[in-house]
Amino acid sequence: MMSKKRLQGFRAAFIHYAGVAHHSDEIAGQFRYLPDGLLLIADGKVVSLTPWDDGNNVPEGCEFTDYQGRLILPGFIDTHIHFPQTEMIAAYGEQLLEWLEKYTFPVESKYGDSEYASAMAAFFIRQLFSHGTTTALVFASVHPQSVNALFLEAQKYAMRIIAGKVMMDRHVPEALLEDPAESARQTRQLIERWHGKGRLGYAITPRFVPTSSPALLEQAGVLRREYPDVWMQTHLSENIREIEWVSELFPEHDNYLGVYDHYQLTGKRSVFAHCIHLQDKEWTCLQQTGSSVAFCPSSNLFLGSGLFKLSAAKARKIPVGIGTDVGAGTSFSLLRTLGDAYKVQQLQSYKLNACEAFYHATLGGAHALDLDSVIGNFAPGKEADFIVVDLTATPLQKLRCSGSTDILDKLFVLMTLGDERNITHTWVNGECVWTQGETEENDHAIFA
């Protein structure tokens, strides 16, 4: 006898995007707003989203939650973030290469300790939830313990998360140096243990070209071919000095992306963070290989790296997601990050409207991760990851929205004045995993 499905219903206002799009007008055409709607989910999957006044009653036996006065939207998708950099967020005064040496590498050295990694993983996941992020593509440290700790914590919540052990074998402190063969062996073990287990996915993670020998990149390419359904994540063209260094290390290649492409690390499910200073050939390569980009505006501003050319990516229909890039990014909040994205584009005379911005943080991010078939909107059958938002969480927001009836105007206020205070509930796989005002013992235990 088949067990009865658990049915849940939610009443609120809703926004989402009906399908994948690229240009601003196409995205606007996919935008859907329901001022008063009913979302039904069964066993963690969307059944339907319909207008409340369609004559549909809440089904008998349905667990009903009334969020009237709130806005529900798909959970945010962070396409680039560093788990071990949580504790060094807001580190002063350096650009990329010096920042790595002074702050990042010393902190990441601590993550070989399983107990420490577990405590920080719990803190990290709670930060994601409290800021409305339900899916993330995550860098761990070089230590397998850091990956195990992160996946074990995400697994508690049936969270859809993709992560990988950093691979690097040169130009880093001795404590973080790896042998390419051993790095590949550990990565292979992690893939076999975690990839595809529940909602978990693995990402092959060479940190970036300057910390990768040809032998290490070759191993990463072998793994990519051996496991074609895993992800690959790395950094690309973030900093001018970094690009010059790559040219010195690999003079036989025309450009930075050409190194990754040579080792067959481009393609679908390959996500390149930053991509600020690309040559035309590199844009073309991203397009032709079906690779994706993580736009990290807060980090790019904080490290003085430069301005991402969103219009160039859109012209070539390259999938773009948004990354907080904690800890160079200074907040876990994708709302704050979208506010910075607007400013970065304004400096280039590109007007990033709210409709397009929220697309990149939801369904667009899912598309960049090749997950748009399972998350990112409220289409029937999608996994039920969503957040509940108070559009007027602060007196200033309330004042600003008081005279407006336009949802896009209110969304623009949300992305420019909003932050974690606007997130009242976070739901993952049909379960509420965070409610505003919650306190967790493990949020503070690491400081004891």
Side-chain angles (χ1 to χ4, degrees), residues 22-74:
H22 299 282
H23 301 298
S24 296
D25 55 346
E26 295 173 345
I27 293 171
Q30 297 295 335
F31 180 75
R32 301 290 184 269
Y33 170 52
L34 269 179
D36 189 8
L38 173 64
L39 175 68
L40 294 179
I41 65 175
D43 293 343
K45 300 287 182 67
V46 174
V47 174
S48 63
L49 174 60
T50 56
W52 180 261
D53 59 5
D54 260 11
N56 299 318
N57 296 316
V58 177
E60 185 178 350
C62 179
E63 300 173 22
F64 179 67
T65 305
D66 193 339
Y67 284 129
Q68 286 185 84
R70 298 288 187 263
L71 176 68
I72 290 180
L73 61 158

Side-chain angles (χ1 to χ4, degrees), residues 26-157:
E26 295 173 345
I27 293 171
Q30 297 295 335
F31 180 75
R32 301 290 184 269
Y33 170 52
L34 269 179
D36 189 8
L38 173 64
L39 175 68
L40 294 179
I41 65 175
D43 293 343
K45 300 287 182 67
V46 174
V47 174
S48 63
L49 174 60
T50 56
W52 180 261
D53 59 5
D54 260 11
N56 299 318
N57 296 316
V58 177
E60 185 178 350
C62 179
E63 300 173 22
F64 179 67
T65 305
D66 193 339
Y67 284 129
Q68 286 185 84
R70 298 288 187 263
L71 176 68
I72 290 180
L73 61 158
F76 290 139
I77 298 169
D78 192 333
T79 56
H80 184 67
I81 188 169
H82 292 258
F83 153 51
Q85 292 180 17
T86 302
E87 63 193 277
M88 51 155 288
I89 194 170
Y92 169 75
E94 308 294 349
Q95 292 202 347
L96 175 65
L97 300 181
E98 296 81 8
W99 180 83
L100 289 169
E101 291 288 342
K102 186 173 181 179
Y103 300 113
T104 303
F105 293 147
V107 166
E108 291 192 1
S109 297
K110 298 192 286 187
Y111 282 75
D113 182 329
S114 295
E115 185 176 345
Y116 187 82
S118 295
M120 288 306 302
F123 184 85
F124 176 80
I125 294 296
R126 298 303 293 174
Q127 286 294 297
L128 292 178
F129 290 159
S130 67
H131 289 76
T133 297
T134 57
T135 293
L137 178 62
V138 186
F139 276 60
S141 70
V142 298
H143 312 96
Q145 297 95 317
S146 67
V147 181
N148 290 331
L150 185 62
F151 279 144
L152 283 168
E153 188 65 23
Q155 194 176 46
K156 294 178 184 178
Y157 305 96

Side-chain angles (χ1 to χ4, degrees), residues 222-241:
V222 168
L223 289 166
R224 191 83 165 91
R225 295 187 293 277
E226 185 176 346
Y227 300 97
D229 65 332
V230 304
W231 284 260
M232 196 290 304
Q233 61 177 342
T234 192
H235 301 85
L236 173 64
S237 295
E238 181 177 1
N239 174 281
I240 294 295
R241 283 185 55 203

